């Protein structure tokens, strides 16, 4: 009986290590400075931001994100359309080979639509990132106040919220 168990454990260990030898895309991505934007209770949307570094020789696509903080989570980008800040959903966010993609206010972001948990400074939010190969990475991030750091974010945020509301009214 003991022998069988040992053999089983060894087999398991072998399969785990051979699995780890094949690095997943999630393993090749390093996340730094993640944070979510503080919003008042009942706000239609918030967003999360972070820096993604790709340590592999191949471009990696972030294809989806989920969070317990929000049922609808979308990958978004801001564009400056003749001075009007707009945002739209994107199918993926690419991190170049051996390169970096920064998600920040005014650029790429992970939109948390109709958040169900309180997004207040001092709270922590978890977002799961999913990459093209199906591998996932959990990112725990603090909630920060963005408007204090960027004076003109209020206007931009009004735009965002209107956009989101109209985008989800069907
Ligand atoms: Cu957005």
């Amino acid at each position: 009986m003991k022998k069988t168990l040992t053999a089983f454990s060894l087999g398991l260990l072998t399969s785990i290590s051979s699995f780890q030898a094949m690095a997943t895309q999630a393993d090749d991505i390093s996340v730094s400075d993640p944070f979510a934007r503080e919003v008042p209770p009942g706000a239609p949307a918030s967003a999360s931001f972070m820096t993604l570094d790709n340590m592999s020789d191949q471009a990696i696509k972030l294809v989806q994100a989920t969070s317990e903080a929000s049922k609808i989570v979308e990958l978004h980008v801001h564009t400056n359309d003749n001075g009007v800040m707009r945002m739209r959903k994107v199918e993926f966010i690419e991190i170049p080979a051996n390169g970096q993609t920064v998600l920040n206010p005014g650029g790429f972001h992970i939109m948390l639509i109709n958040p169900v948990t309180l997004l207040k400074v001092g709270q922590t939010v978890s977002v799961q990132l999913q990459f093209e190969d199906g591998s996932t990475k959990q990112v725990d991030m603090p909630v920060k106040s963005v408007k204090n750091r960027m004076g003109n974010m209020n206007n931009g945020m009004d735009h965002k919220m209107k956009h989101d509301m109209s985008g989800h009214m069907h």
Side-chain angles (χ1 to χ4, degrees):
M1 189 58 192
K2 198 164 188 234
K3 230 172 191 173
T4 317
L5 270 178
T6 312
F8 174 74
S9 310
L10 276 175
L12 194 64
L13 276 177
T14 311
S15 59
I16 287 174
S17 37
S18 57
F19 176 73
Q20 283 179 338
M22 277 177 53
T24 64
Q25 292 181 337
D27 292 331
D28 285 332
I29 294 292
S30 146
V31 177
S32 53
D33 195 29
F35 66 99
R37 186 184 199 282
E38 181 183 52
V39 290
S46 179
S48 82
F49 311 96
M50 62 194 71
T51 298
L52 300 170
D53 280 285
N54 182 351
M55 298 169 290
S56 79
D57 294 335
Q58 307 216 310
I60 291 178
K61 288 175 182 171
L62 168 64
V63 294
Q64 201 182 359
T66 55
S67 175
E68 82 282 342
S70 177
K71 279 192 198 128
I72 307 168
V73 181
E74 294 180 351
L75 306 178
H76 277 195
V77 69
H78 268 110
T79 51
N80 189 329
D81 186 3
N82 289 322
V84 182
M85 285 297 270
R86 298 180 192 280
M87 69 169 168
R88 61 184 173 86
K89 195 177 163 181
V90 291
E91 292 304 311
F92 59 84
I93 294 173
E94 186 165 302
I95 306 105
N98 298 303
Q100 183 182 74
T101 298
V102 179
L103 280 58
N104 58 14
F108 285 116
H109 54 281
I110 297 170
M111 205 75 189
L112 307 169
I113 295 161
N114 297 325
V116 292
T117 58
L118 196 59
L119 293 169
K120 197 173 164 48
V121 170
Q123 310 281 116
T124 301
V125 174
S126 296
V127 171
Q128 278 78 35
L129 308 179
Q130 191 185 315
F131 300 93
E132 205 175 12
D133 67 350
S135 61
T136 59
K137 195 179 201 69
Q138 177 169 328
V139 183
D140 300 321
M141 63 189 80
V143 177
K144 289 189 184 175
S145 174
V146 174
K147 64 187 168 200
N148 290 344
R149 297 196 307 178
M150 313 201 123
N152 59 357
M153 268 308 280
N154 278 332
N155 278 337
M157 211 48 206
D158 288 344
H159 266 301
K160 280 188 210 173
M161 288 179 179
K162 273 173 197 148
H163 172 97
D164 273 326
M165 294 305 282
S166 58
H168 291 90
M169 283 284 196
H170 16 244

